[in-house]
Amino acid sequence: MESLAAPVFEIVKWLGDPIIRRISYIKNLEKNFQNLNVKANVLYSRRDDIKREISRPGSKGTATNECENWLKEVERLQDKVNVIEKEYHEEKKCLMGWCPDVSLRLKLGKRVVESTNSIIDLLEKSASWVGGVVVDAPTKIAEAVPAQPIEGNTSTGRTLQKILGCIKDIKKQKIGIWGMGGVGKTTVMKSLNNSAEITQLFEIVIWVTVSKDWSLRNVQNVIAKRLSLNFGSDESNDNMATRIYQELERQKFILLLDDMWEKIELDNVGIPRINLENGSKIVLTTRRLQVCKSMDTDVEIRVDILSEEEAWKLFQNKVGDVVENPSIQSLAKDVVKECHGLPLAIIVVGGSLRKEEDVHVWKNVLDELRSPTICEIEDMEEQVFKRLKFSFDRLNNDNTKNCFLYGALYPEDHEIPIDELFEYWRGEGFINGANKGHTIVKDLIGASLFESAETDSVKMHDVIRDLALRITSPTGEGCRFLVRAGVRISEPPREKGWENVERISLMHNELKSLPQSPYCLKLLTLLLQGNGTLTKIPASFFDHMASLRVLDLSYTSIESLPESICNLLSLRALFLNSCRNLKTLTSQVGALKELDVLAIGDGTKIDCLPIEIEELTKLRLLHVSCHELKVRISRLSLLEDLRIKVDPYDGRWDESFANCMTEEICSLRELTHLGFYYFPNVECLEQFVHGSLSWKEKHIKTFQIVVGSTKAGYGVCKVDRGLVLIGEVTTHANAIVEVLSRADALNLIGHGGVRDLLEMGVENLNELKKCGIERCKEMVTVMDWNGLQEETTALPNLELLDLSSLPNLRSLWEGSMPPGTLSSLTELNLSGCEKLRKLFSWRRINLQQLPNLQELYVWYCSELEDIIVNEEEKVDQLQYDDDDDDALPLLLPKLRFLNLYDLPQLGSICKGVSLAFPALEVIYLERCPNIKRLPVGIKKAPNLWKIRGEREWWEALEWENDAIKQQLQPFFHAFYS
């Protein structure tokens, strides 16, 4: 019997399990539904974190395929959860709950449990990702650098051609370029880096500025960044070398090493041996011929000084037409002779004399250039400093001179953020606002003492920096600087070296300690930022720094400020940005009554500012991040620049607190900049717009304002006047309209009601230069002109349009677009627009209204079939011959860069029309399997120099004739798998 009972029991149990589960679905519906909501909120938060990581400002990567699929699964699951939630609430209301539908509850309960399990699976999947959610975007063959144009029939142009000839010579693998400082070696190297010929010869061009204070790690870091390799700070140099070697070994590369001062062991860096098989090259510049020889260069090319004719022409261009004045011309030619053909000296001296019409000034300049030096100097390079110093001496006033000398506090070849300079200069008392700062920067660039670098930054030529350090050296006159910036020292200079010094820069090193109590009563500036290994400041460190004006401790690991900081009674600027271990700010800061600038930005973990901040009544600039601000901001009545970056998940910044803070800010009458300020709703913004006298009288010139639910996540790019609207914000509210009409950048994120941008008012969009629209589910077109009464030009100043994750977007424009609309647009980005089938319709939109579009990026649009389509012509295929291209229309005359990625349905780039692309240079085309033909040839795209895609795709392309393929073959570069 026992043998029979066991299987019977198992059968009953097997039959009973489904019944028990069904009863559980009905009985536990409420509890399971609550659990579903909890898990769903966790999943949505995880999704928002991932999206923010993908779209964070400055990111150059793209989401992994696994991540993209995961995000789509989350969106699909969210739709199911929304339906379940709606049915759940409807079911509870049925007959007031007296007579629930058991069948419906059973089905609903089952779906609740299944959806909860799906959420758990998705959370587990995201937690298991090892490689992260972002992969690097395809690496460019060369990263262009700012460079002066070089004319062919000049000594510099001939030098460039000589170098190119050596690069093309397979027997010359290492090429050395040498010559004295300021002669133009770097100018030639920059032109080489930017040369189209180089990008056709190599798969990657790597630029490294080595400089005098180079280190193996710094060189490796630059190369690793260029190769998109990620290294931890604790990774050994040997491991880095191995990874670099493995990456470069399979590429044909050219390595440009600028400004070398001594031999570098390339094996230690990770550079593979250069040989005939791999075809790679190394080009280096140096002031010393011996460095070329120590690097075993195959050829050494000297960059010579300019001929008299070339020197005179360069001087004319720099000084202007004034040199044609008969009373000045002979003096000008003598001045040029005194520059001895050195381009840098000619540029600097000429810049200082630009449009100078006073003959006496010219005579005085010539006398100064001809005067004997203090000591006998035989080296020509030493003579150069005398000529460069002349331009320094001619600067308008001491303030401008001090601003110039400040640049020498930064490491060699460092890009100097202009905003940071302004804050320092302000703390020093050199300027009283950004307008004056911009004027001085413009003057210094005009005098060729500063160089324009990347956006919002400047650089100093290494020879000019050497000049500044000579002027401020202990044996010279004027300011006395102690500069050990970016040289990787771990121990500070001895205390004795701090005495009688006015400015000290130890930034970007590896300091582990500081002197106990240095005696430096004359010290005005102390820059210690970027020493991540510095954890402690000695208790008596500030005891003898009574004159200190500027103190920067940003990007250090200090845990507290010593009480001796109260001795800094002259301090005007204190910087504590990204001090990741600093959790409290000592109340002693209340003693710093002269403080003008206080910056506690991102990364510093201070939760609450001390109440003593209210005593800093001279503050004009206050930057804080993620703080519980109990300080009465209104007491800081002189504030001009206020930036408050709010953590979107910080519950302390609720509506009530925001209203109080807004009331405080409204009382600030001197406010000219309000940055990253968060209004949780439109009502709070209305309070600011109507209550702030600074806003109403338009004293506020720049702002970054965020309105709405920050739980959706947001990022604000650096703009002058930015507005971010998140969630269900009423876009027609008066306050929104008023801010928008003044904004030059708009981010619209997660809005559920806006169907097209013009709903916000055509007249309110005229100032916009940048516009980003993201996760707006109801948006079906960007601009709908149908039904509008007037044909008013829209977005005439817009330069960048970024459209992301718009699931119902079906077109970019509807109706007839008025002339002038989008006439300034240079970049258009589309990503995740799943229902978009065609991009440009020639019938409905005249593409000549996009005359300045230069870059087009289209990613992850799963239903997109065509980029440009002529619906009138009913032509299925294009004729891709180049025989009659003179008559081809120019619809996108300035398009330079076309990037198409993961477009599985894309069948054509141009359908029903044959177009010319006169400016097109680069085509990136990946994961677009249905593109069988390219719409370009040599005549249609005469400037094309690179096509990048999968090798299998390239080999499968169809061609009208073999000649076109042969013409384009040299431009093709395969993606590496």
Side-chain angles (χ1 to χ4, degrees):
M1 289 293 294
E2 291 181 2
S3 61
L4 180 63
V8 171
F9 177 77
E10 290 299 323
I11 292 171
V12 172
K13 181 181 177 183
W14 178 76
L15 292 172
D17 276 350
I19 298 173
I20 294 171
R21 282 201 304 271
R22 292 178 181 180
I23 295 173
S24 175
Y25 291 151
I26 300 170
K27 179 182 178 182
N28 298 322
L29 177 59
E30 286 78 9
K31 183 177 71 174
N32 289 342
F33 179 74
Q34 295 301 323
N35 185 44
L36 172 66
N37 275 335
V38 171
K39 296 293 185 185
N41 287 331
V42 173
L43 178 66
Y44 302 156
S45 295
R46 173 65 175 146
R47 174 200 60 194
D48 293 342
D49 287 342
I50 289 171
K51 285 188 174 182
R52 188 161 51 252
E53 169 66 15
I54 294 169
S55 61
R56 70 183 187 277
S59 173
K60 296 182 179 179
T62 181
T64 63
N65 293 335
E66 183 180 21
C67 176
E68 279 292 329
N69 292 331
W70 185 89
L71 289 171
K72 290 177 181 178
E73 288 184 48
V74 173
E75 295 299 328
R76 285 193 288 268
L77 188 56
Q78 185 175 16
D79 291 339
K80 292 181 181 179
V81 172
N82 290 340
V83 172
I84 288 173
E85 183 176 3
K86 181 180 178 181
E87 292 180 6
Y88 174 80
H89 290 297
E90 288 176 350
E91 192 274 339
K92 287 192 69 176
K93 295 176 183 177
C94 178
L95 294 180
M96 299 181 65
W98 287 102
C99 185
D101 188 321
V102 175
S103 176
L104 287 178
R105 287 178 67 85
L106 173 61
K107 293 177 181 178
L108 184 61
K110 182 179 180 182
R111 286 161 57 205
V112 167
V113 172
E114 289 174 346
S115 296
T116 303
N117 291 334
S118 297
I119 288 174
I120 293 171
D121 290 342
L122 286 172
L123 286 170
E124 289 177 350
K125 185 182 295 184
S126 68
S128 67
W129 289 339
V130 177
V133 300
V134 176
V135 294
D136 291 319
T139 303
K140 296 180 180 179
I141 292 180
E143 290 186 342
V145 295
Q148 295 291 329
I150 293 179
E151 296 182 14
N153 192 27
T154 62
S155 58
T156 311
R158 289 189 290 272
T159 300
L160 177 61
Q161 291 305 315
K162 189 184 298 184
I163 297 168
L164 285 169
C166 291
I167 290 173
K168 294 174 183 177
D169 187 342
I170 61 173
K171 297 179 181 178
K172 296 181 173 64
Q173 293 146 11
K174 291 184 182 178
I175 301 159
I177 306 169
W178 69 284
M180 61 181 298
V183 78
K185 301 183 299 297
T186 299
T187 300
V188 174
M189 192 74 116
K190 286 180 176 179
S191 293
L192 186 65
N193 177 86
N194 297 347
S195 168
E197 292 183 66
I198 291 297
T199 56
Q200 293 175 21
L201 293 171
F202 300 94
E203 292 171 327
I204 187 167
V205 182
I206 304 173
W207 173 289
V208 182
T209 301
V210 182
S211 74
K212 189 185 300 182
D213 299 315
W214 76 282
S215 70
L216 175 62
R217 189 62 171 232
N218 284 346
V219 172
Q220 288 180 321
N221 283 337
V222 173
I223 296 174
K225 182 179 179 181
R226 184 71 182 90
L227 297 173
S228 301
L229 298 176
N230 296 317
F231 293 109
S233 58
D234 57 345
E235 191 147 8
S236 69
N237 293 345
D238 288 343
N239 285 345
M240 289 183 72
T242 300
R243 297 263 313 273
I244 290 171
Y245 179 88
Q246 292 171 345
E247 186 68 22
L248 286 179
E249 188 181 28
R250 57 193 182 91
Q251 298 196 53
K252 183 181 179 182
F253 66 88
I254 181 168
L255 177 62
L256 308 179
L257 299 170
D258 189 42
D259 195 23
M260 287 183 59
W261 288 76
E262 58 183 303
K263 181 180 180 180
I264 294 178
E265 294 293 346
L266 297 177
D267 290 344
N268 295 340
V269 177
I271 307 301
R273 293 295 176 94
I274 307 300
N275 53 52
L276 292 175
E277 293 180 3
N278 58 35
S280 296
K281 303 275 183 174
I282 292 176
V283 183
L284 63 92
T285 71
T286 177
R287 299 187 191 183
R288 303 170 182 175
L289 178 60
Q290 185 56 40
V291 173
C292 295
K293 295 179 179 179
S294 69
M295 293 294 294
D296 298 324
T297 52
D298 298 306
V299 61
E300 297 81 37
I301 300 172
R302 178 171 180 169
V303 180
D304 289 319
I305 60 176
L306 302 180
S307 66
E308 288 187 17
E309 182 181 348
E310 291 170 346
W312 175 247
K313 185 176 181 180
L314 178 60
F315 190 74
Q316 280 181 305
N317 290 337
K318 201 66 185 173
V319 175
D321 294 338
V322 68
V323 294
E324 303 300 329
N325 186 325
S327 59
I328 289 177
Q329 190 174 76
S330 61
L331 292 169
K333 289 187 175 181
D334 287 339
V335 167
V336 173
K337 289 179 181 178
E338 290 300 322
C339 293
H340 298 284
L342 189 70
L344 182 61
I346 294 169
I347 290 170
V348 173
V349 173
S352 67
L353 287 167
R354 183 166 181 77
K355 297 183 179 180
E356 178 58 66
E357 297 180 353
D358 191 330
V359 175
H360 297 290
V361 171
W362 281 88
K363 289 181 178 179
N364 182 61
V365 168
L366 189 56
D367 289 342
E368 289 186 28
L369 291 176
R370 286 174 171 172
S371 65
T373 54
I374 297 174
C375 59
E376 290 298 323
I377 302 175
E378 295 183 0
D379 185 0
M380 171 59 187
E381 189 163 335
E382 295 296 323
Q383 291 278 7
V384 171
F385 286 106
K386 175 187 171 185
R387 286 148 180 80
L388 299 182
K389 187 175 182 299
F390 156 76
S391 292
F392 169 79
D393 291 336
R394 276 185 54 78
L395 291 175
N396 294 334
N397 51 55
D398 289 341
N399 261 4
T400 305
K401 290 179 180 179
N402 285 325
C403 289
F404 160 69
L405 295 174
Y406 229 85
L409 296 174
Y410 285 85
E412 186 175 334
D413 297 305
H414 191 85
E415 289 191 3
I416 307 170
I418 290 177
D419 287 346
E420 186 174 278
L421 268 183
F422 290 172
E423 290 169 9
Y424 287 156
W425 292 352
R426 185 171 190 154
E428 294 282 357
F430 300 156
I431 63 174
N432 56 12
N435 290 336
K436 181 63 175 176
H438 282 293
T439 300
I440 290 176
V441 166
K442 183 178 179 181
D443 289 344
L444 292 173
I445 291 175
S448 299
L449 296 175
F450 275 179
E451 301 174 2
S452 294
E454 293 297 324
T455 306
D456 299 323
S457 63
V458 293
K459 290 179 71 173
M460 293 183 83
H461 190 285
D462 55 348
V463 176
I464 297 293
R465 181 175 181 269
D466 288 345
L467 166 70
L469 291 175
R470 287 179 182 232
I471 293 172
T472 58
S473 67
T475 57
E477 299 177 356
C479 300
R480 300 177 67 188
F481 286 16
L482 173 60
V483 180
R484 301 288 186 273
V487 293
R488 303 181 68 83
I489 58 174
S490 58
E491 297 295 329
R494 295 179 180 178
E495 286 193 28
K496 187 72 175 174
W498 294 52
E499 295 181 8
N500 299 317
V501 176
E502 294 185 10
R503 293 190 172 87
I504 296 177
S505 175
L506 303 175
M507 68 169 75
H508 302 303
N509 282 305
E510 299 171 357
L511 295 181
K512 296 180 174 61
S513 63
L514 293 171
Q516 290 298 313
S517 184
Y519 192 81
C520 36
L521 296 180
K522 294 183 179 180
L523 188 63
L524 301 173
T525 307
L526 179 58
L527 306 180
L528 296 170
Q529 70 266 34
N531 283 282
T533 50
L534 184 63
T535 59
K536 186 176 181 181
I537 300 175
S540 57
F541 181 72
F542 297 117
D543 279 352
H544 307 295
M545 298 185 188
S547 299
L548 193 66
R549 295 177 184 171
V550 174
L551 173 62
D552 197 336
L553 297 167
S554 302
Y555 298 94
T556 62
S557 299
I558 58 172
E559 299 174 356
S560 63
L561 293 174
E563 292 190 0
S564 61
I565 198 170
C566 67
N567 295 319
L568 304 180
L569 300 180
S570 300
L571 195 67
R572 292 169 54 91
L574 175 61
F575 300 89
L576 299 168
N577 299 309
S578 294
C579 294
R580 60 181 182 272
N581 294 330
L582 186 61
K583 298 180 179 179
T584 58
L585 189 62
T586 174
S587 61
Q588 299 293 330
V589 297
L592 309 179
K593 306 295 185 184
E594 297 297 315
L595 208 60
D596 185 286
V597 175
L598 177 59
I600 311 172
D602 287 348
T604 300
K605 297 182 179 179
I606 296 176
D607 289 327
C608 185
L609 294 179
I611 197 67
E612 286 79 7
I613 292 291
E614 294 179 5
E615 301 174 20
L616 306 179
T617 56
K618 291 187 177 181
L619 266 184
R620 294 181 182 273
L621 183 151
L622 176 62
H623 296 179
V624 291
S625 175
C626 190
H627 297 307
E628 185 177 359
L629 295 173
K630 296 181 179 179
V631 177
R632 294 285 302 276
I633 297 291
S634 58
R635 296 193 176 184
L636 307 176
S637 59
L638 298 181
L639 267 184
E640 299 173 3
D641 188 331
L642 175 63
R643 306 182 195 182
I644 304 177
K645 188 77 173 286
V646 180
D647 186 338
Y649 297 103
D650 192 338
R652 292 168 295 187
W653 195 280
D654 56 15
E655 182 177 339
S656 174
F657 184 68
N659 286 332
C660 293
M661 280 300 304
T662 301
E663 185 177 346
E664 291 280 306
I665 292 173
C666 284
S667 66
L668 299 175
R669 294 177 174 269
E670 303 297 325
L671 205 61
T672 60
H673 178 84
L674 180 63
F676 304 113
Y677 191 77
Y678 168 48
F679 297 95
N681 53 48
V682 174
E683 290 74 21
C684 194
L685 179 65
E686 293 273 5
Q687 178 187 355
F688 168 74
V689 167
H690 295 311
S692 171
L693 193 63
S694 294
W695 177 266
K696 287 192 289 188
E697 296 185 355
K698 297 187 177 181
H699 293 320
I700 296 180
K701 304 298 183 183
T702 55
F703 56 84
Q704 289 87 40
I705 289 175
V706 182
V707 186
S709 171
T710 58
K711 289 184 179 180
Y714 69 94
V716 183
C717 57
K718 183 174 176 56
V719 293
D720 288 335
R721 303 180 305 280
L723 173 63
V724 181
L725 302 178
I726 306 175
E728 304 300 323
V729 177
T730 305
T731 56
H732 296 293
N734 291 335
I736 296 292
V737 170
E738 184 171 336
V739 176
L740 178 59
S741 64
R742 299 189 196 180
D744 66 2
L746 170 67
N747 279 22
L748 187 63
I749 302 173
H751 202 287
V754 175
R755 291 177 60 84
D756 84 279
L757 197 59
L758 299 186
E759 290 180 7
M760 303 180 73
V762 176
E763 68 282 359
N764 301 323
L765 309 173
N766 287 338
E767 296 294 318
L768 292 185
K769 295 181 179 178
K770 298 180 181 179
C771 181
I773 305 174
E774 178 183 354
R775 305 198 303 272
C776 296
K777 294 185 177 181
E778 294 301 315
M779 181 162 284
V780 294
T781 186
V782 180
M783 292 185 291
D784 188 353
W785 298 98
N786 294 319
L788 291 183
Q789 297 297 322
E790 299 181 3
E791 287 197 359
T792 305
T793 298
L795 299 165
N797 296 305
L798 193 70
E799 299 171 0
L800 168 64
L801 179 59
D802 199 328
L803 308 173
S804 175
S805 300
L806 304 177
N808 289 306
L809 189 74
R810 288 174 168 80
S811 65
L812 297 183
W813 304 284
E814 292 289 340
S816 178
M817 194 162 64
T821 298
L822 296 178
S823 58
S824 299
L825 191 69
T826 59
E827 182 176 340
L828 175 60
N829 302 328
L830 294 99
S831 175
C833 302
E834 298 175 357
K835 293 186 179 179
L836 190 64
R837 292 184 178 275
K838 58 178 175 290
L839 202 56
F840 300 124
S841 171
W842 193 12
R843 178 175 64 84
R844 302 168 71 183
I845 299 165
N846 185 350
L847 293 185
Q848 288 178 331
Q849 292 178 351
L850 299 177
N852 291 301
L853 187 66
Q854 298 180 25
E855 299 182 32
L856 176 60
Y857 299 80
V858 188
W859 291 17
Y860 303 117
C861 297
S862 57
E863 299 299 321
L864 189 70
E865 298 174 355
D866 304 293
I867 301 298
I868 301 172
V869 58
N870 181 7
E871 295 173 328
E872 292 181 341
E873 289 298 331
K874 305 299 182 184
V875 177
D876 293 328
Q877 293 185 357
L878 294 173
Q879 298 301 315
Y880 291 90
D881 60 64
D882 279 0
D883 295 336
D884 188 25
D885 289 313
D886 292 339
L888 294 179
L890 300 176
L891 297 189
L892 295 172
K894 292 188 179 180
L895 186 67
R896 295 174 47 248
F897 191 90
L898 178 63
N899 188 315
L900 307 176
Y901 181 80
D902 199 4
L903 308 173
Q905 300 301 319
L906 185 67
S908 69
I909 296 176
C910 298
K911 183 178 181 181
V913 59
S914 187
L915 302 177
F917 295 95
L920 189 63
E921 298 177 8
V922 177
I923 298 175
Y924 271 56
L925 211 153
E926 185 176 9
R927 296 178 65 178
C928 303
N930 290 322
I931 291 289
K932 303 300 183 184
R933 291 191 174 191
L934 290 179
V936 295
I938 294 299
K939 293 182 181 179
K940 292 178 181 176
N943 289 302
L944 186 69
W945 57 269
K946 180 167 66 174
I947 302 170
R948 193 147 195 188
E950 301 101 327
R951 186 168 297 281
E952 296 80 4
W953 164 80
W954 175 260
E955 295 300 335
L957 280 177
E958 300 172 2
W959 304 93
E960 188 68 22
N961 55 66
D962 290 338
I964 296 178
K965 181 178 182 180
Q966 292 174 2
Q967 290 173 345
L968 297 182
Q969 183 69 50
F971 304 151
F972 176 70
H973 302 267
F975 285 118
Y976 285 100
S977 57

